[in-house]
Amino acid sequence: MDYVAHGCWSYIIFHKIRRPFLAVIFGLLPDTSSWFVYAIYRVISQGGFGKPVLSEVPAWAFILYDISHSIVVAFAVIAAAWLIARRVLIYMLAWPIAIVMDLLTHRRDFLPTPFLWPLSDWRFPGISWGTAWFMALNWGLIIGLLILIRVRSKRAALQVKDAVCDPEQG
């Protein structure tokens, strides 16, 4: 799935928690800690953007990709955070959710998701998130759900305002 979509879905799923921006950060974590780091490296070293030629991507970028896109690693980090904080940091669950989204939307022939790394090298045969029908469906759902969240938020705010301003309501 594309980077911005991960952030949007993280917000949609976790918008009711106290700090949804933390879920967005964790939803972006797998791609930020691998491909965003590589993109910065590429801009500095080669002076440009564009679709990477996989044979030219340095090995360290794939190592970061394997680590950041592993459910095993994500749950190990979440478990460590739980042991330290003594509570589940719910926003961290956006990380494994993003991995599952990538698992389903990456094909084996182009950046398959190493979700079981380091336990297994098996990759799920997902569909490409870049397929036109999937992009239209995905972004249609994202936009529709963000509008719905906004409308519900406005309605809730109006109901609170009406309840505060109307002494007859009880």
Side-chain angles (χ1 to χ4, degrees):
M1 187 167 293
D2 70 272
Y3 188 76
V4 176
H6 277 301
C8 291
W9 279 113
S10 297
Y11 178 78
I12 289 165
I13 294 167
F14 293 96
H15 72 276
K16 289 191 175 190
I17 68 171
R18 187 176 345 158
R19 290 178 260 164
F21 72 92
L22 291 173
V24 172
I25 289 169
F26 275 89
L28 295 172
L29 181 70
D31 289 340
T32 300
S33 57
S34 57
W35 296 117
F36 188 75
V37 171
Y38 171 67
I40 292 170
Y41 163 81
R42 188 167 171 195
V43 166
I44 292 168
S45 67
Q46 299 171 4
F49 287 107
K51 184 176 180 179
V53 177
L54 291 183
S55 62
E56 297 174 8
V57 175
W60 60 262
F62 288 107
I63 292 168
L64 291 176
Y65 184 76
D66 289 349
I67 294 167
S68 65
H69 284 77
S70 170
I71 290 272
V72 176
V73 172
F75 280 121
V77 171
I78 291 168
W82 173 72
L83 288 171
I84 292 166
R86 299 280 187 216
R87 62 187 177 92
V88 175
L89 303 174
I90 195 80
Y91 54 82
M92 291 182 78
L93 294 176
W95 181 4
I97 289 170
I99 294 169
V100 170
M101 288 178 181
D102 276 350
L103 174 70
L104 300 173
T105 61
H106 284 235
R107 292 172 42 142
R108 280 186 178 156
D109 62 345
F110 188 77
L111 296 176
T113 305
F115 73 107
L116 294 174
W117 184 91
L119 304 177
S120 173
D121 217 15
W122 186 81
R123 311 295 169 104
F124 185 79
I127 61 164
S128 171
W129 63 265
T131 305
W133 71 265
F134 181 80
M135 288 286 278
L137 175 65
N138 186 41
W139 279 101
L141 286 170
I142 288 171
I143 292 166
L145 289 169
L146 289 174
I147 290 170
L148 181 65
I149 289 167
R150 180 75 173 157
V151 167
R152 285 185 173 175
S153 174
K154 286 284 190 185
R155 279 189 193 150
L158 287 174
Q159 287 175 347
V160 168
K161 182 180 174 186
D162 288 346
V164 170
C165 293
D166 185 359
E168 302 264 332
Q169 272 188 330

